Every structure is written in C-alpha cells, then in structure tokens.
Amino acid sequence: IASTDPALPSGEGCRTVPLAGHVGFDSLPDQLVNKSVSQGFCFNILCVGETGLGKSTLMDTLFNTKFEGEPATHTQPGVQLRSNTYDLQESNVGLKLTIVSTVGFGDQINKEDSYKPIVEFIDAQFEAYLQEELKIRRVLHTYHDSRIHACLYFIAPTGHSLKSLDLVTMKKLDSKVNIIPIIAKSDAISKSELTKFKIKITSELVSNGVQIYQFPTDDESVAEINGTMNAHLPFAVIGSTEELKIGNKMMKARQYPWGTVQVENEAHCDFVKLREMLIRVNMEDLREQTHTRHYELYRRCKLEEMGFKDTDPDSKPFSLQETYEAKRNEFLGELQKKEEEMRQMFVQRVKEKEAELKEAEKELHEKFDCLKKLHQDEKKKLEDKKKSLDDEVNAFKQRKTAAELLQSQGSQAGGSQTLKRDKEKKK
C-alpha cells in the first residue's frame, strides 16, 4: 500500500507494483510533444558586442534567412538595446524568435557604465515575467516570454587578450543569463594565433571568475558531444549570407583575394559547432536553465526584498498568509508611525508659525509705537514753531502800529508848525 503521509518526501514510502495489462499512460510523452508543437516555442537571443563585429550577419547565417535591420553607426551617445521578434516555421514546428542587439556598445570614450543598460534590460524581462506570475488571474500559457535564453558575446579578434570592457560586462551578466562567448570574424587572425587566443580567453575568464554557459553532460544521449564542445569554447565563427559555387555545390562562404573561407567547413571555423550546440542540441536546456537558475535567483532576491521567506527565524515553514499578514501589519505600523510623525511635524510647524506671527506682531507694534512717538514729536515741533511764528507776527504788528502812530504824530506836528509860520508871515 502506498504511503499517504504528506510529511514524507516524494518517492519515499512508495513501492513499485506491476501492471496486469496495458493502461496507456506511456503515451504521455507523445501528448506532451503534440501539445508543445501546437503551442509553438519561443527563443530569445541577446547579441552583445562592439559595433561592426558582424552580429546581424551571424544571426542571418544561423537561421538561414535575412532579418530586417538597420546597420548601426559608431556615433551613438550611449548603449541602446534594440529588440525584434520574428515568427519562423520549420516543418510543423513554429518558433517565435526574438533577437536583441546592443546598439552603440563600446563606441563611447567612457565605457564604464556600458553594461548597465544590458543588465537593466535583462532584469526588466525578469520583472515582467514575475509580475505576470504574481497576478491573481495568470495567463502564462499565452504569455510571450521575453526572458533572455542565450547571450552570444562577440569578442573582437585581436589575438592578444580580452578587453577590460568584455571582462566587466561578462562578470555582470554571468548570474543573469547563459553566456556563450564567440570570437567574431575569426578569419582575421591565423590558425595558430586563434588557438593561442582561445587559450588566453579561457584563462582570463577563469582567473576573473566569469562563469560562462557549459553544455550539459548529465544526459547520456548528448554527454559525449557536449563534453567535446565544451573544450572548444569560445567558438571562432564567421558569418556570411553570400553563396559561392565550390566544386559542384553552392555553399555559404566569404571570398578573399587569397582564397575562400567556407562558413560551414569545420576546418575553417566553428560555425557548425555553434549552430549544433545552440539550436540543434541545447536550445531546450538554455530555456530551462534560464527559468530554473537565472530567473529563480532573480525571483528569490525580489521576494526576499518584499519580506517573503521559506522559513522563519525558528526554521519553521512560512505560509504565504502568515507572511502577508506580517507584512500588512508591518506596513500598517509604519503607516501609523509616519502619520504620527507627520502630525507631530504639523503641530511643530503650527507652533513655529504662531511664534513667527507673534514675533512679527510684536515688531509691528513696536514699529507703530515708534512711528506714533515720532509723529507726536514732529507735531510738537510744528506747534512750537507755529507759536513762535505767531509771536513774531504779533510783535511785528505791534511795531507796525507804533510806527504808524509815530508817523501820524509827526505829520500833525509838522502841519501845526507850517500854519504858525504862515501866520507870522501875514503879520
């Protein structure tokens, strides 16, 4: 009898029983395949690299088509991410392919923050998926998953070592996306230089702690080929959509004055290895790693920031309801605390304003008293001056009256003397 104890881990306490006949659940893989094929698949590639390294050409070569896109210039003020989504169909399998390119990467004089727009874009896709996942009514089966599944990091074929920009950017991205480093335009350096360059790149990645995507070896069906291909990283690739006649066949190649480089010739470059590993063998593992590793890390960090944890301080399981209640109570407590702080601040500001108004009123009263006293002093001065002027006017009038009296007396005296002389003459 199988155990029904929920405390037991899955698989423990169960026993294997034989079947007496055919049941039919062996068709589950076929059901899953049919359902997946009907729904279609999505795959999102991020191409990171400096302008002019052939990112668009390689994408056209990988998927054997011509994607629309404008060539980027070296005059971008900053790094911009350009996303384009295409519907591809091969046999009866549909693929919604999204290609994200980093326009202007490495073109600025100050490259210190060149990685930030890329990190922000990847986090934005994780956040959009998380928000959809946290909705009450979720539609994840029809949701267009825009999370980046693979990052093809294009390395310039210098033949010396990785640039500091490459190391810093890959270090910032390795915990957020599956990085597959590739040496772009590998026909620019010789075979011996290319081998040394690969060894140098691998050594620098290891010494700087950059974790690139390793093709899985836990599945026996692909363990051998993936183990072999891990040793070939980083892939040295060449892209070309031009077909040339080589022998009796038309093949993708690049024509040079010194000869022809065949894109799909493994003796010339690792393009076939890249296509095999990226699309034909490990595409589903890249999608799975994105969800189970990189997205889970982002989700865990975000939920921990929000206060959600698997266990409490006593190592007891946390329920979502308890966590929600705890966060709600904490939020309400903080809200009440802020309300009290705002109330206290308001009361304090009212008191300060009242004190300011009282001080202003006191100053106005003092100014009024000062002006009143000044007015009274001026009034008194004017009254004194008026009195003085009135006294002067009265004195002047008195002098004038006295002068007029003296003048009249003098004229009378003069008239009497004249009459007297006239009388004497007559005599």
Side-chain angles (χ1 to χ4, degrees):
I1 299 173
S3 172
T4 58
D5 186 358
L8 287 173
S10 177
E12 291 188 15
C14 297
R15 61 190 178 91
T16 304
V17 295
L19 301 178
H22 182 261
V23 177
F25 58 78
D26 58 349
S27 66
L28 274 173
D30 297 330
Q31 296 176 36
L32 184 61
V33 168
N34 294 333
K35 185 177 180 181
S36 299
V37 169
S38 65
Q39 289 180 349
F41 301 88
C42 73
F43 192 66
N44 307 318
I45 300 177
L46 171 65
C47 298
V48 181
E50 298 177 9
T51 306
L53 286 181
K55 299 186 291 295
S56 300
T57 304
L58 183 65
M59 289 297 101
D60 293 346
T61 313
L62 267 175
F63 291 94
N64 200 20
T65 186
K66 178 66 177 176
F67 296 115
E68 298 177 358
E70 298 178 358
T73 63
H74 293 272
T75 58
Q76 297 291 334
V79 180
Q80 298 177 353
L81 279 86
R82 186 181 296 163
S83 177
N84 294 295
T85 302
Y86 310 93
D87 285 319
L88 307 180
Q89 187 78 24
E90 187 174 36
S91 299
N92 65 332
V93 178
L95 178 68
K96 188 180 287 291
L97 176 69
T98 300
I99 299 174
V100 183
S101 57
T102 52
V103 181
F105 182 78
D107 290 339
Q108 295 76 36
I109 296 175
N110 183 4
K111 303 177 178 65
E112 185 178 355
D113 297 332
S114 294
Y115 68 88
K116 287 185 177 179
I118 305 172
V119 172
E120 290 170 358
F121 178 85
I122 295 172
D123 284 345
Q125 311 317 308
F126 284 152
E127 183 64 26
Y129 191 88
L130 179 62
Q131 292 301 322
E132 182 65 28
E133 200 176 48
L134 292 176
K135 285 182 179 178
I136 296 174
R137 293 187 178 182
R138 301 185 297 179
V139 286
L140 291 175
H141 61 284
T142 59
Y143 175 76
H144 174 51
D145 186 4
S146 59
R147 296 173 297 177
I148 300 299
H149 300 123
C151 170
L152 295 182
Y153 197 96
F154 289 70
I155 300 169
T158 60
H160 301 293
S161 62
L162 284 171
K163 299 178 181 179
S164 57
L165 173 64
D166 297 329
L167 284 172
V168 170
T169 304
M170 281 194 274
K171 185 64 179 174
K172 295 291 183 181
L173 296 179
D174 65 357
S175 62
K176 297 179 178 293
V177 71
N178 302 309
I179 299 176
I180 302 176
I182 58 177
I183 301 170
K185 296 186 175 181
S186 61
D187 53 343
I189 54 179
S190 66
K191 206 75 174 175
S192 58
E193 288 177 332
L194 188 58
T195 304
K196 293 178 181 177
F197 191 34
K198 280 189 175 187
I199 296 171
K200 181 69 173 175
I201 290 171
T202 305
S203 173
E204 288 185 339
L205 291 175
V206 171
S207 62
N208 287 278
V210 178
Q211 296 180 354
I212 61 173
Y213 174 72
Q214 294 292 317
F215 304 118
T217 56
D218 50 355
D219 186 353
E220 293 181 359
S221 61
V222 294
E224 184 178 352
I225 186 172
N226 279 349
T228 304
M229 291 303 167
N230 280 329
H232 282 85
L233 288 171
F235 293 133
V237 298
I238 302 165
S240 175
T241 55
E242 182 182 357
E243 291 193 347
L244 301 176
K245 190 172 183 180
I246 300 173
N248 295 324
K249 294 182 179 180
M250 296 298 292
M251 305 181 72
K252 288 186 174 64
R254 299 187 76 89
Q255 183 72 52
Y256 294 102
W258 46 263
T260 305
V261 178
Q262 299 173 27
V263 173
E264 296 180 320
N265 188 336
E266 293 191 51
H268 292 183
C269 71
D270 297 332
F271 172 80
V272 173
K273 295 183 178 69
L274 173 64
R275 183 178 62 190
E276 198 75 16
M277 292 296 97
L278 179 67
I279 300 174
R280 300 182 180 180
V281 178
N282 297 301
M283 180 180 279
E284 181 56 32
D285 184 73
L286 286 163
R287 286 157 41 91
E288 185 181 340
Q289 284 291 318
T290 299
H291 183 75
T292 59
R293 182 185 167 199
H294 301 297
Y295 171 69
E296 281 300 319
L297 177 61
Y298 177 86
R299 177 179 173 276
R300 187 184 73 202
C301 293
K302 271 292 181 181
L303 292 179
E304 285 178 353
E305 285 179 11
M306 295 166 64
F308 294 96
K309 296 180 180 178
D310 291 331
T311 58
D312 60 12
D314 299 328
S315 298
K316 294 180 181 179
F318 244 126
S319 72
L320 185 64
Q321 181 67 26
E322 289 175 355
T323 306
Y324 169 76
E325 290 295 335
K327 292 300 293 182
R328 184 173 180 275
N329 293 334
E330 181 183 348
F331 174 75
L332 290 175
E334 290 179 359
L335 186 62
Q336 289 177 356
K337 184 179 178 181
K338 285 184 179 179
E339 286 179 353
E340 182 62 24
E341 288 177 356
M342 291 180 67
R343 192 183 69 80
Q344 294 290 342
M345 189 182 296
F346 176 75
V347 171
Q348 181 66 25
R349 288 188 176 180
V350 168
K351 289 181 178 178
E352 290 175 357
K353 200 67 179 177
E354 286 179 350
E356 288 177 5
L357 291 172
K358 286 181 179 179
E359 186 68 24
E361 186 180 7
K362 183 180 178 182
E363 289 178 0
L364 285 172
H365 279 300
E366 290 177 353
K367 192 173 182 180
F368 176 74
D369 292 339
C370 181
L371 289 173
K372 187 177 179 182
K373 185 179 179 182
L374 184 64
H375 174 71
Q376 289 175 349
D377 292 342
E378 291 291 332
K379 185 178 179 182
K380 187 178 179 181
K381 286 180 181 179
L382 287 173
E383 288 176 350
D384 292 342
K385 194 168 185 180
K386 182 183 177 185
K387 186 179 179 182
S388 174
L389 287 173
D390 288 340
D391 293 342
E392 289 180 4
V393 168
N394 292 330
F396 174 75
K397 286 181 178 179
Q398 290 176 0
R399 288 196 297 272
K400 181 180 178 183
T401 303
E404 288 175 351
L405 182 61
L406 289 173
Q407 186 177 3
S408 62
Q409 290 177 353
S411 60
Q412 288 178 1
S416 61
Q417 287 179 1
T418 303
L419 289 173
K420 202 175 192 179
R421 281 197 295 270
D422 291 341
K423 286 180 181 181
E424 287 178 353
K425 285 179 180 181
K426 287 179 180 181
K427 289 179 177 183

